């Protein structure tokens, strides 16, 4: 099989097992918990997501030489935390939809979205502590704390039209990289591996997440709506300083920079100047420079996997490599 | 010293040490975290609260024979979770003030209140896991999950004007009792005590919290605003079915019950019928019957302490007894 096929088969197969572990948990919960709460949890968790975070936990444990079906009980915690984050994000962003359906916030209301997010948050931490011990919990909760910290940074960044690239990097680390990194690292801890493998997997996750987020930010300008299911230009409308724009601001001559600042400072202009801004980013190679950064991150991710040379986990290594390629090539 | 004086001295002395442990943590955090986040944490945590939950952790560990200043590092987690809950509650209730100051929600906005609550939530769980191990974390996160479940129940209860007493009990357990119970139980776990002491302390906490909440609900009708700092009648305005009202609905004749239902179903009436509703509750002894329930809970709490007969922890036992009396007698 080609790498992409192996990857896709793994995503499909593993995500069924991850879903099964979540269903088991929710069924047990439904016996005692409030009916509305369990309804919201089902709605938010089973939405066609690819289960990338729990998949990474599963792959990391096997790459580290532990093959044990109990990993799915641990892995679901990462989907729970991800879903909790999205529920609160949708409140914060006042988002109408999520994956083509009404967001929990819009469908069930503010109170439900906050509380159900809190519930999943607590449940995810309890699972990690119980399944993988306190060291794994430290990694997991450190990531959670820094995700929040990253969101505060993002709020501040939104007002800063001369954002530095390092602030962008720190913000996307919080947004995507840290939870992915924690998934990989907790997998290594659960498998009982030492610090070298832990850090290699953590670093793989950080770079993978970084590449993912940069491509996401490019797609927000250049994506094919038919494929992504999302309108382009959201980031611009919200005034978000993402990498293509940051790199353009760095390169632009004074006239173009002033024009971009004028657009960014004005909500109405942001809604109507998408073509003009895209054109300016192209002019200064903002997209291709961003893509190069994503490729650099992808290379760095692949390098980390060299720590795992043996035959054991060969299949998992292939899938983890395939995932990097997939992130770079994705059109949605 | 009289019991009340011993209690007050303990509250003052211990709360300074708990505050010191929180300051240490926030100072360390401030070195890496976003400035706005640390500002909000300081604002929300240092607000003149009595630190009852961390105090219970400290007292429980000493009653169980472990006296170790490291307990303050553990104890602060319970204040963190409490503060996290309040931040999200203020968003949910659209609350203007908290302890006589603008709520975090009103002062810093929705986004900040959600995110800072999430941060404290994660931090609290990490602390419990690190300081007291995974068994304590299970107790703690089980409580968190059930607190959320209780809030969902409360939302549903609000629409039910014929609420059963057991649903009320379950809701106040989530609102107050479970976190207090977890504080006591985690203290026993940290001190390395067996299941009998754990369950006794847990049960003490549940009954203490129950008595506290019933008195709170009575004060919402009968409190002296000068002492409580809160306007009376909030629960009625919000249509909350608290114990005095539930017991009255149970006893009332058909005419009075229909009138109460009419008031409860109408937002405008709820704002203007406070005197009438208070009068009806008095007519059916709703306040004195509620008070008797609070006294029963208080007695049950005191009974649990008999598991600890020895001289060791004699002072702590006195304080825990004093706390029960204080909760019953409080006017604010």
């Amino acid at each position: 099989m080609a790498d992409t096929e192996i990857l896709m088969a793994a995503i499909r197969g593993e995500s069924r097992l991850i879903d099964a572990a979540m269903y088991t948990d929710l069924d047990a919960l439904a016996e005692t918990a409030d009916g509305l709460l369990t309804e919201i949890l089902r709605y938010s968790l089973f939405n066609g997501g690819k289960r990338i975070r729990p998949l990474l936990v599963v792959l990391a444990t096997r790459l580290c030489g532990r093959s044990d079906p109990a990993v799915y009980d641990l892995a679901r915690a990462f989907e729970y935390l991800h879903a909790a984050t999205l529920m609160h994000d949708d409140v914060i962003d006042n988002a109408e939809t999520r994956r083509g359906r009404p967001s929990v916030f819009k469908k069930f209301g503010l109170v439900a979205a906050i509380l159900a997010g809190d519930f999943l948050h607590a449940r995810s931490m309890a699972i990690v502590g119980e399944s993988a011990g306190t060291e794994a919990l430290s990694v997991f909760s450190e990531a959670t704390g820094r995700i929040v910290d990253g969101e505060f940074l993002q709020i501040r960044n939104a007002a800063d039209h001369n954002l530095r690239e390092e602030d962008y990097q720190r913000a996307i680390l919080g947004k995507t990289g840290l939870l992915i990194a924690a998934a990989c690292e907790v997998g290594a801890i659960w498998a009982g591996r030492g610090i070298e493998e832990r850090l290699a997997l953590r670093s793989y996750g950080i770079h993978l997440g970084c590449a993912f987020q940069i491509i996401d930010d490019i797609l927000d300008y250049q994506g094919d709506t038919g494929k992504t299911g999302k309108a382009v230009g959201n980031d611009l409308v919200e005034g978000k300083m993402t990498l293509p724009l940051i790199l353009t601001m760095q390169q632009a001559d004074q006239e173009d920079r002033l024009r971009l600042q004028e657009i960014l400072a004005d909500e109405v202009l942001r809604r109507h100047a998408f073509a003009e801004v895209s054109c300016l980013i192209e002019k200064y190679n903002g997209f291709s420079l961003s893509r190069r950064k994503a490729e650099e991150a992808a290379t760095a991710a692949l390098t980390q996997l060299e720590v795992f040379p043996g035959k054991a986990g060969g299949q998992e290594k292939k899938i983890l490599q395939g995932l990097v390629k997939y992130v770079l090539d994705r059109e949605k």
Side-chain angles (χ1 to χ4, degrees), chain A:
Chain A
M1 278 200 285
D3 285 359
T4 318
E5 282 173 59
I6 294 175
L7 174 68
M8 287 305 157
I11 288 180
R12 274 192 307 274
E14 298 298 341
S15 72
R16 272 194 291 269
L17 295 168
I18 293 156
D19 284 9
M22 294 199 292
Y23 273 120
T24 305
D25 198 31
L26 292 189
D27 286 348
L29 193 71
E31 286 173 23
T32 57
D34 183 87
L36 178 59
L37 173 60
T38 46
E39 184 187 344
I40 296 169
L41 296 183
R42 286 212 175 85
Y43 181 84
S44 66
L45 285 168
F46 299 100
N47 61 357
K50 284 197 203 64
R51 317 301 187 200
I52 294 298
R53 290 156 192 82
L55 174 67
L56 285 167
V57 179
V58 174
L59 293 172
T61 58
R62 290 205 201 121
L63 182 68
C64 287
R66 181 173 176 186
S67 191
D68 177 347
V71 73
Y72 297 106
D73 295 344
L74 168 63
R76 63 189 169 194
F78 288 82
E79 196 65 25
Y80 286 179
L81 185 63
H82 180 52
T85 310
L86 296 182
M87 271 191 244
H88 285 184
D89 278 355
D90 286 344
V91 174
I92 287 168
D93 297 339
N94 196 17
E96 293 286 338
T97 60
R98 166 72 61 188
R99 289 193 157 271
R101 295 189 310 175
S103 66
V104 169
F105 169 46
K106 289 296 172 187
K107 187 173 168 79
F108 298 96
L110 172 81
V111 176
I114 291 179
L115 290 176
D118 287 348
F119 183 89
L120 277 183
H121 189 180
R123 183 91 192 99
S124 70
M125 298 195 79
I127 290 171
V128 172
E130 282 163 34
S131 309
T134 52
E135 203 173 351
L137 179 70
S138 285
V139 169
F140 190 66
S141 61
E142 165 89 19
T144 318
R146 286 181 61 194
I147 288 168
V148 171
D149 186 48
E151 297 208 48
F152 272 102
L153 188 71
Q154 238 184 342
I155 297 167
R156 207 143 27 89
N157 288 352
D160 181 359
H161 302 145
N162 292 303
L163 191 68
R164 289 170 311 165
E165 202 184 321
E166 65 206 68
D167 287 327
Y168 167 81
Q169 295 284 359
R170 194 176 140 202
I172 67 171
L173 197 61
K175 194 172 172 190
T176 314
L178 286 171
L179 186 55
I180 288 180
C184 297
E185 189 177 359
V186 166
I189 294 173
W190 194 75
R193 294 303 281 261
I195 195 73
E196 193 192 5
E197 286 95 339
R198 274 179 56 176
L199 291 185
L201 275 166
R202 177 182 178 79
S203 181
Y204 167 86
I206 284 176
H207 289 114
L208 179 72
C210 179
F212 177 92
Q213 194 57 52
I214 294 172
I215 299 295
D216 214 53
D217 291 344
I218 296 172
L219 287 174
D220 195 82
Y221 283 92
Q222 298 197 311
D224 176 340
T225 306
K227 288 178 182 164
T228 61
K230 282 194 283 196
V232 292
N234 283 327
D235 288 344
L236 179 62
V237 170
E238 291 171 23
K240 271 191 200 157
M241 292 300 296
T242 60
L243 194 58
L245 204 48
I246 291 170
L247 295 174
T248 302
M249 291 290 262
Q250 283 175 5
Q251 312 281 329
D253 64 27
Q254 180 151 356
E255 189 188 338
D256 287 337
R257 197 165 56 241
L258 287 175
R259 174 61 184 157
L260 282 169
Q261 283 173 339
E262 184 187 17
I263 293 169
L264 286 165
D266 183 322
E267 207 187 317
V268 177
L269 278 178
R270 290 202 306 264
R271 285 187 187 282
H272 296 96
F274 177 71
E276 183 185 351
V277 171
S278 294
C279 210
L280 281 167
I281 296 176
E282 283 286 13
K283 176 175 171 188
Y284 292 101
N285 300 315
F287 296 120
S288 56
L289 289 170
S290 296
R291 192 168 171 86
R292 197 170 308 158
K293 298 263 180 193
E295 285 164 358
E296 283 167 18
T299 305
L302 291 172
T303 306
Q304 300 302 323
L305 296 177
E306 288 168 15
V307 170
F308 304 89
K311 275 191 189 169
Q315 178 78 347
E316 281 69 34
K317 194 168 163 180
K318 258 193 197 154
I319 300 170
L320 289 168
Q321 287 164 337
L323 204 52
V324 173
K325 194 169 175 304
Y326 170 76
V327 158
L328 273 190
D329 294 345
R330 75 204 178 92
E331 295 179 324
K332 60 176 183 175

